[in-house]
Structures are given as structure tokens and as C-alpha cells.
Amino acid sequence: MPSTGLYFRKGNRVAEESWHEARLIPTSGISGVEEQERRATSALLAVMSVVKEFGRALLGPVGAIAGNVETFIEVPFAVGDGKKVIPDGLIRVTRGQRSWTALVEVKTGKNELDTAQLENYLDVAKEQGFDALITISNEIPAVAGQHPTKVDKRKLKKVALHHWSWTYILSTAVMQKEHRGVTDPEQAWILGELIRYLEHPRSGAMELEDMGSAWVPVRQAVTAGTLRANDQQVPEVVARFDALLRYTALRLGRQLGTDVLHVLSRKEQADPSLRAQALTASLVENGCLAGTIRIPHTVAPLEIRADLRAGRITAFLDIDAPKTGRPATRVNWLVRQLKHAPEGVRIEAFAVGARGPGATELLAKVREDPSCLVADPKRDLRGFRVEISAPLGTKRGRGRGAFIDSVIDLVDDFYTDVVQHLKAWTASPPKMRETPAEEPDVSPQLVSTSLSSQDGQDEA
């Protein structure tokens, strides 16, 4: 990054022009897509081999053994018919007599992975006895563990196929350097140089930039009430929305220094098509897309709902009410924790045994009159819903008025103003009851065996 200032030469004060600080991985000189991919591949693989903690953080989840990491770029191989293929990289991990090897294919910018190319590399990996093929691009799969490119499943019997988005790699690097830590200071600096490089626009490691070409037509069809489940553009919007939730979780986790997860049910994890079907049905029936992210040590998962018909994006969570105290006291318990929250936060109170929606009001009024959330004083409150909403962005890209930014900004604001301040209610420990001293019926008599303050005086 450029640095400016005054520099001194032999006692004379001379104002110099901006000087560029020397960088381990410079962004200058990137002349095209091939150079961009080659430099990003070389930088990433080199840092993985040098910074042991970072390499292990990436390779552990894909099944690599713990050991010495060696990395190579542009390794040539010959396929069965003599055709030459050159994967972007190769990773080899060795420990004693054991080894684990993976080919690496990299895309930067808006370039997407190619099915035929990946299947060739899978054939090479099988012939060479390698363990995996790792792909890297800016594509973010809708479900964690799912690959963004469809390949012949028969080619995956002997070789595993894994995918890292550049957002995931950058998040892992920041987490390792800033929060988990790197033992060696020089290795920490090297990892910092990789982070600086990946964050630069010219590196080609972009964040989620687009909701896809189907976003605007689908949004307009929802508003007009003409959207149908069999519309060809619906699957792309559904997949992009889940990708946005995963991106939001990775981004928030990078800021907080913890693993924030996009939550799916066990059935959805086992069969991602169930998640897509549920989102499609919700989008067609009521114009809504919804999902959940879980932040460790918070009171509850954070729910996100995009209502395309109403043009609103909402973030909320449900929190259990205290088990003791009058209803108004339980409301006050929550309000005290929301002292940093804006007045527009909406609170809904649910009574024990009641069905349907509960009493609801904005925080500004609840602060003045906590009893406004108590519909029936004879019924205890069992829980609250705290939510915040904002206008839904309509643009498919990034920037002001964009859907992606409206989701990210709302989640950041909701966590900052509300979620991080909420704590679950805990019961006070039981206190020991004091036992009153019993008064004797008769005056105590001093017997010959009773101790006296004078005992032991003669011996002294």
C-alpha cells in the first residue's frame, strides 16, 4: 500500500512523492487473467507450506494427514490418450511413511470452474494414486461441502473432490492470524502479506459480488404474483441466497474471530435438494427467502428473512424469558439488556399456554411502559422475539440499494446493537436459611467437668 510523508536527506527537509512499500506478494504487474491465477496460486500454496498453522487449518478439514507440507505449481501430467494436462498446483503432505496428495485447480475473478477440465484432473489423480482434487474460485456453494460444479460421480469413487472459495480462504487466514494465533512472528508476518494481497481488488479473490442474472426477473415476478415453482430462473436465485447466507456467516466470523455457521437441518445436510425445495415453495407461496446463522455463545441462532413482496429484510432471534418474577419484571429484564439498541427494534412477548402471535410493540414504547407487552397479567411470559428490519435492496450487484449489501448491513447492525448484549437468564443459587437459636428452658449449670477460663493456670 502506498505511504506518504516527509523524508529527510542530509539535514535538508525535502517533500517526496508517494513511495510504495515493498511487499512480499505485490499486486503490481498483473497483466491478465492467467497471470492473476498463477500469482494467486503460487502465493497461497507457498504460504500454506511455510505457515504451518494456516496450512493445517485448510488441509485438516479435507482429510489431509498432519505432517510436512510441500507445494508445487503447474505440474504437467499425461492423460490416458497421451494428452497433456497441467493442473494449477499440487499439495503433498508427508509424515513418516505416509503421504497425502491433492491436485489444485484455481480460478480468479468471475471465471468459473469447467466440468471437463475437472474430470480430466480426476482421471489424473486416480491414475497417479492421489487422494483428492481441490478447486478454488469465487463461487460459493449453497451448502457447505457441496461442490459448485457437477461432475460424473463415478470419478469420485477413488478421488475426493473439495472446494474452497476465496472468501473461505481469506476468512481462514484472518482467523488464524488475528484470533487463533501463529507461533512464529515471521510466519505471522508472511500470513499477513497473503491477507493483504487477497484483499486487494487486483488479486482476483473477490467477495460475493452478484446475485446472478435471474435475480431481477424473479423479484419482479414475485411482486407481480406470477412466479411459479417450475420457472427455470428460480433455482439460481435460491442457490445464490444460500450462498449469500454462507458468505455473511464467513464475513461475520472473520470479524468476530469465531466460526459462524449457516445452519441447516440434518435432513437438508444429507440431501441439499430438500433445502432448495423448501426455499422454492416459500418464495412462490409468500415471496419470502429465509435462513439461519449460528454465532457461538450467543443466546439463540440469528434468523434472516427477506420478504420480496413487502420489500423488507428482517433479522430476529427468540430468547427465553426468566422463570421467576411478575410479567412486567420479565419485560424489564430484557429492556435493561437493550440499552444500546435503537428505538425501532420490535419486541414480541409470548405468554405461557398462549397460541398465535403475542403482544408486540416497538422498543421506544416498551421502555416507557413495560406493561404494554403484558396482554394478560395472570399469565406468565415464556419468551420474547427481538427483531429489526430495513428496506430490502433490489439491485443484483453490490453498492447502495443492492440486495447483498442490505442483508450484510442489517446483520452487522443487529449483532452490534442487540445480539452481542443479550445474555440468557440464569436462576440465582438457593440461599441457606438461617436457623433461629433455641432458648434453653432452664439456666445452664456449671458442672465439675465443664471447661473454665482458669483451667491450666496452675501448670503455667
Side-chain angles (χ1 to χ4, degrees):
M1 298 292 288
S3 57
T4 60
L6 292 177
Y7 297 84
F8 303 95
R9 187 179 300 159
K10 295 182 179 180
N12 297 324
R13 181 171 296 182
V14 181
E16 298 285 353
E17 296 181 355
S18 298
W19 287 7
H20 293 271
E21 185 178 349
R23 290 295 175 201
L24 183 65
I25 314 171
T27 54
S28 58
I30 299 178
S31 56
V33 175
E34 291 185 2
E35 169 64 21
Q36 192 179 64
E37 290 183 357
R38 187 180 299 112
R39 191 174 300 193
T41 304
S42 184
L44 172 63
L45 296 186
V47 174
M48 286 176 62
S49 65
V50 172
V51 185
K52 307 304 180 183
E53 293 95 338
F54 175 59
R56 187 61 191 156
L58 284 176
L59 294 173
V62 297
I65 62 176
N68 181 51
V69 179
E70 298 176 283
T71 56
F72 309 86
I73 64 167
E74 298 182 343
V75 182
F77 294 94
V79 193
D81 57 357
K83 181 181 178 182
K84 189 176 182 181
V85 296
I86 306 177
D88 291 316
L90 183 145
I91 303 172
R92 183 170 63 202
V93 186
T94 56
R95 184 177 183 180
Q97 299 298 318
R98 299 176 60 197
S99 67
W100 181 92
T101 307
L103 296 177
V104 181
E105 173 60 13
V106 177
K107 299 293 183 184
T108 56
K110 295 184 178 181
N111 297 323
E112 297 183 351
L113 298 163
D114 178 69
T115 298
Q117 191 178 37
L118 298 188
E119 290 182 346
N120 283 337
Y121 295 158
L122 288 170
D123 291 338
V124 170
K126 181 181 177 181
E127 291 177 5
Q128 299 293 326
F130 296 159
D131 300 274
L133 169 63
I134 299 173
T135 60
I136 303 172
S137 72
N138 286 305
E139 300 163 87
I140 302 178
V143 179
Q146 188 181 46
H147 201 276
T149 307
K150 292 182 179 181
V151 298
D152 188 345
K153 292 184 178 180
R154 293 174 296 181
K155 297 182 180 293
L156 303 179
K157 292 181 179 180
K158 299 283 185 166
V159 182
L161 179 61
H162 304 285
H163 179 72
W164 295 336
S165 68
W166 283 113
T167 297
Y168 170 73
I169 293 172
L170 179 58
S171 298
T172 303
V174 173
M175 288 270 292
Q176 192 64 55
K177 181 179 184 295
E178 302 297 336
H179 305 287
R180 295 172 184 159
V182 177
T183 306
D184 188 288
E186 292 182 353
Q187 292 184 14
W189 178 80
I190 291 173
L191 184 57
E193 288 294 289
L194 176 65
I195 293 171
R196 188 184 296 274
Y197 175 79
L198 295 180
E199 289 178 337
H200 197 282
R202 297 189 65 185
S203 71
M206 303 185 308
E207 297 185 333
L208 186 64
E209 296 286 337
D210 201 329
M211 283 298 293
S213 59
W215 168 251
V216 174
V218 167
R219 179 180 55 77
Q220 292 173 343
V222 168
T223 304
T226 59
L227 187 69
R228 297 295 178 263
N230 58 357
D231 286 355
Q232 295 182 354
Q233 294 174 315
V234 171
E236 180 185 351
V237 171
V238 165
R240 292 270 181 165
F241 178 74
D242 267 348
L244 173 58
L245 293 182
R246 286 201 63 216
Y247 169 74
T248 303
L250 287 170
R251 184 178 176 278
L252 186 59
R254 193 164 74 212
Q255 294 173 309
L256 301 178
T258 188
D259 294 320
V260 180
L261 301 176
H262 174 212
V263 179
L264 297 176
S265 67
R266 290 184 178 180
K267 291 183 178 180
E268 290 173 339
Q269 290 176 346
D271 185 2
S273 65
L274 295 177
R275 167 68 177 169
Q277 293 170 10
L279 279 180
T280 299
S282 175
L283 186 61
V284 173
E285 292 173 9
N286 50 44
C288 289
L289 293 167
T292 306
I293 62 175
R294 180 181 292 116
I295 307 162
H297 311 302
T298 54
V299 294
L302 194 156
E303 310 281 345
I304 302 167
R305 183 176 64 241
D307 190 334
L308 275 64
R309 288 179 183 169
R312 303 291 295 180
I313 181 79
T314 303
F316 66 92
L317 58 75
D318 295 327
I319 180 173
D320 292 334
K323 304 299 182 184
T324 61
R326 294 179 293 106
T329 303
R330 303 183 189 195
V331 175
N332 279 325
W333 167 84
L334 176 65
V335 172
R336 283 195 298 270
Q337 298 188 69
L338 296 175
K339 60 182 179 180
H340 300 288
E343 295 183 344
V345 168
R346 176 178 172 270
I347 303 176
E348 185 173 1
F350 302 98
V352 175
R355 295 183 179 181
T360 181
E361 196 52 77
L362 296 181
L363 179 58
K365 185 173 181 180
V366 178
R367 282 170 173 162
E368 297 176 358
D369 180 19
S371 62
C372 68
L373 290 181
V374 183
D376 187 352
K378 296 181 180 180
R379 283 189 171 184
D380 290 332
L381 298 180
R382 60 177 173 84
F384 302 98
R385 172 167 292 183
V386 185
E387 71 175 42
I388 188 171
S389 67
L392 181 146
T394 58
K395 298 178 182 178
R396 55 176 278 190
R398 297 296 300 270
R400 187 175 182 181
F403 177 70
I404 295 175
D405 288 84
S406 66
V407 173
I408 293 172
D409 292 343
L410 185 69
V411 171
D412 286 352
D413 292 343
F414 188 54
Y415 183 84
T416 301
D417 297 335
V418 176
V419 179
Q420 68 176 346
H421 302 291
L422 291 178
K423 295 182 179 180
W425 177 82
T426 55
S428 301
K431 296 182 179 180
M432 183 70 74
R433 296 178 62 184
E434 296 182 2
T435 303
E438 297 182 1
E439 295 184 1
D441 297 335
V442 295
S443 301
Q445 301 293 325
L446 185 63
V447 295
S448 59
T449 57
S450 298
L451 294 178
S452 170
S453 63
Q454 298 302 305
D455 288 344
Q457 293 296 321
D458 295 338
E459 290 81 354

